[in-house]
Amino acid sequence: MISTSPIRTRFAPSPTGLLHIGGARTALFNYLFARHHGGQFLLRIEDTDRARSTQEATEVILKGLDWLGLQPDEAPVYQSSREARHAEVARALLEKGLAYRCYASAEELKEMRETAMKEGRPPRYDGRWRDRDPAEAPAGVKPAIRLKAPREGVTEVDDLVQGTVRVGNAEMDDLIILRSDGTPTYLHAVVVDDHDMAITHVIRGDDHLTNTFRQVMIYNAMGWALPRFAHIPLIHGADGAKLSKRHGAVSVLEFEREGYLPEALCNYLLRLGWGHGDAEILSRDEAIALFDLGGVGRAASRMDYAKLTHLNGVWLRQAEDARLARDVMRRLAEEPGLVLDEAAEARIAALMPALKERAKTLVELATSASFLARRLPFSMDGKASVIMTDEARVMLASLAPHLAETDFSAAGVDAALRAFAETSGKKLGQVAQPLRAALTGTTTSPPIDATLATLGRAESLARIAAATAPPSES
Ligand code: GLU
């Protein structure tokens, strides 16, 4: 039975670790698919594994999704709050005769595994309590509840990415749905929650494909409509190996720290494993309009930082200047020796069109903007000090009055610099480089006219004066 209800998808992370980019892409695909169909995107925190789940990890997931702009349409569902319901469904299956109590002890299970291994069979539960009279139950032993899985025929899943996949039922054993301590197993909880949350499409990593067959058996036993499944290939590192901490910045929030824009990361993750003709740069709205599961490839994709950084540069140039200036201010707050007042923010915003042309990340942008918030006196970097010769000091001292006479517009200072270069027989660059060193303490900045105009008359002249003053004796 296939559901025809309004589209509802979910992202169901376990809060046992970081929100890594594989998870972020799964969330993105679920979000885009729901939006494309005018449906809802939900979030379920799968925190049934109490020992490994942490509040901190939950917060990192929520923060990461928020940063990516993938907020769910309803309040998050915490799986741990639904244990009573998971147990209720397990009991319903018992009553239907489609599940049974299993009293096998840990030793028995171990022995079963060892025998299977010795005989070269996959370790499976042998079904010893499946048809046994419950009257034979050992006293004082709390049973686990197992699903009476079909033993004949095949279980088939018509996956929206993988195509039709099937497994012979003889290859699967009777899975535990409720442990002897009354807690649900993960496979069971997911099915009950997806059903109760009216999820129509389960889009998740293909490492869950084998779980799907077992989950389908639970749906079938309950007589519940199956959702559609779409198992998307995993993301591998640049070296082709499964993505792990070894590959560096894999937490989504680490990308934020490294200066990536969320829209760039989403664009990158979308294109990683999904294609639509040649479309490379896609806004959120375009992605929503175009996204379909048919465009998801079947091969694992490889993380390509160079491509991500390129996309980030593209999105940076399209981003609003005031927003970038705010971000730069936040990043600069961690650096000593800067004056981060409104005037600094205004300067950073004013020079942003030129600054963002040269940066690929927000970290680079902050570095290149920091001179605008420097407080006098400041030191020069190595290259700038080399340029600041005695001759350069003398030249800047005689240039200053000419600049002071201008209106300090970019055009005004440009005309004064050209005239000064011409009368002193220098190339414009020979004037501009020492001037840049004096104004910024570095040898790179946006065009010198824009740099002067942004710093303004008082600050520019003060910086030139400080640079031309003879070095102090101390
Ligand atoms: N909680 C699982 C995980 O984090 C996902 C389960 C699912 O999507 O069905 O891998």
Side-chain angles (χ1 to χ4, degrees):
M1 217 191 331
I2 299 293
S3 162
T4 52
S5 346
I7 303 292
R8 277 164 75 85
T9 64
R10 76 340 185 243
F11 176 50
S14 307
T16 51
L18 304 163
L19 174 60
H20 54 76
I21 55 163
R25 190 182 58 165
T26 301
L28 177 68
F29 283 12
N30 275 285
Y31 175 96
L32 293 176
F33 186 77
R35 284 285 172 283
H36 178 84
H37 290 283
Q40 284 109 36
F41 165 67
L42 310 187
L43 174 64
R44 183 170 69 236
I45 303 290
E46 304 212 310
D47 55 351
T48 33
D49 184 346
R50 295 266 169 89
R52 292 177 60 229
S53 301
T54 65
Q55 185 56 33
E56 197 193 345
T58 301
E59 271 153 30
V60 168
I61 290 167
L62 297 176
K63 222 169 132 190
L65 291 176
D66 208 48
W67 178 68
L68 290 166
L70 300 175
Q71 292 85 357
D73 294 313
E74 293 174 12
V77 170
Y78 287 86
Q79 192 161 59
S80 60
S81 71
R82 296 180 34 83
E83 282 192 357
R85 170 68 179 148
H86 303 142
E88 178 184 277
V89 173
R91 281 195 302 273
L93 286 168
L94 269 182
E95 273 153 37
K96 283 165 169 260
L98 295 173
Y100 61 92
R101 293 189 175 85
C102 168
Y103 296 88
S105 65
E107 293 77 60
E108 281 178 88
L109 294 172
K110 188 164 165 245
E111 202 187 298
M112 245 179 259
R113 264 197 308 275
E114 282 169 0
T115 315
M117 306 269 264
K118 249 184 253 152
E119 292 169 7
R121 291 181 287 114
R124 282 188 214 121
Y125 173 70
D126 62 7
R128 63 183 60 181
W129 282 94
R130 184 175 166 115
D131 298 310
R132 195 149 153 194
D133 187 346
E136 291 174 32
V141 175
K142 283 211 180 115
I145 297 181
R146 287 185 186 266
L147 187 78
K148 215 176 241 185
R151 289 189 155 170
E152 272 131 44
V154 291
T155 296
E156 204 168 85
V157 175
D158 185 13
D159 191 273
L160 291 167
V161 172
Q162 310 287 335
T164 304
V165 278
R166 53 178 75 79
V167 68
N169 291 335
E171 285 172 42
M172 290 190 285
D173 60 5
D174 291 344
L175 70 139
I176 295 181
I177 53 178
L178 209 65
R179 297 188 193 91
S180 56
D181 65 1
T183 60
T185 54
Y186 158 74
L187 287 170
H188 176 65
V190 168
V191 170
V192 176
D193 292 346
D194 281 340
H195 171 263
D196 288 1
M197 290 165 76
I199 299 302
T200 58
H201 290 74
V202 172
I203 304 170
R204 59 188 174 194
D206 66 8
D207 48 338
H208 286 285
L209 189 57
T210 48
N211 289 338
T212 307
F213 299 113
R214 290 167 161 279
Q215 292 179 333
V216 163
M217 290 178 170
I218 302 176
Y219 279 99
N220 289 344
M222 284 304 288
W224 287 342
L226 280 180
R228 297 303 308 269
F229 292 98
H231 287 92
I232 57 181
L234 301 180
I235 301 177
H236 287 181
D239 56 3
K242 213 178 149 188
L243 204 58
S244 70
K245 288 214 182 95
R246 209 158 45 76
H247 295 96
V250 287
S251 154
V252 163
L253 294 174
E254 187 60 29
F255 285 87
E256 183 194 14
R257 272 192 290 281
E258 290 183 4
Y260 291 95
L261 290 165
E263 56 269 47
L265 187 57
C266 284
N267 191 159
Y268 176 72
L269 291 176
L270 171 64
R271 291 287 294 105
L272 193 62
W274 176 86
H276 184 88
D278 294 334
E280 200 61 54
I281 309 297
L282 289 150
S283 68
R284 178 60 59 87
D285 286 346
E286 287 163 334
I288 289 171
L290 294 175
F291 188 78
D292 60 353
L293 290 166
V296 177
R298 281 202 217 173
S301 12
R302 280 192 190 203
M303 185 68 200
D304 179 347
Y305 279 87
K307 193 161 173 196
L308 168 62
T309 307
H310 164 74
L311 278 178
N312 203 51
V314 172
W315 280 102
L316 208 87
R317 282 184 279 289
Q318 292 184 21
E320 219 185 284
D321 295 338
R323 168 187 169 203
L324 295 176
R326 272 196 305 279
D327 188 282
V328 162
M329 289 290 282
R330 194 171 54 77
R331 287 176 198 270
L332 292 181
E334 282 154 36
E335 275 186 35
L338 301 179
V339 189
L340 294 166
D341 54 8
E342 273 177 33
E345 185 167 345
R347 278 186 209 143
I348 292 170
L351 198 55
M352 195 51 82
L355 289 168
K356 69 186 182 184
E357 283 303 317
R358 289 168 177 71
K360 287 226 163 65
T361 69
L362 291 162
V363 170
E364 283 178 25
L365 194 63
T367 304
S368 70
S370 66
F371 80 88
L372 292 166
R374 287 183 122 182
R375 186 204 307 267
L376 277 170
F378 56 73
S379 55
M380 295 192 185
D381 70 18
K383 284 191 197 160
S385 331
V386 170
I387 287 175
M388 200 50 70
T389 56
D390 287 343
E391 195 191 335
R393 284 200 179 84
V394 172
M395 189 269 290
L396 288 179
S398 57
L399 168 65
H402 295 277
L403 287 174
E405 273 170 25
T406 72
D407 61 357
F408 257 84
S409 65
V413 293
D414 181 59
L417 288 175
R418 284 176 194 281
F420 179 83
E422 210 178 310
T423 50
S424 47
K426 291 188 190 313
K427 290 201 180 107
L428 191 58
Q430 291 173 295
V431 179
Q433 266 315 73
L435 183 55
R436 177 170 281 121
L439 295 171
T440 70
T442 73
T443 50
T444 50
S445 82
I448 199 70
D449 52 349
T451 302
L452 279 161
T454 305
L455 280 170
R457 177 189 305 276
E459 186 65 25
S460 297
L461 295 176
R463 291 187 182 195
I464 296 170
T468 54
S472 66
E473 293 299 315
S474 61

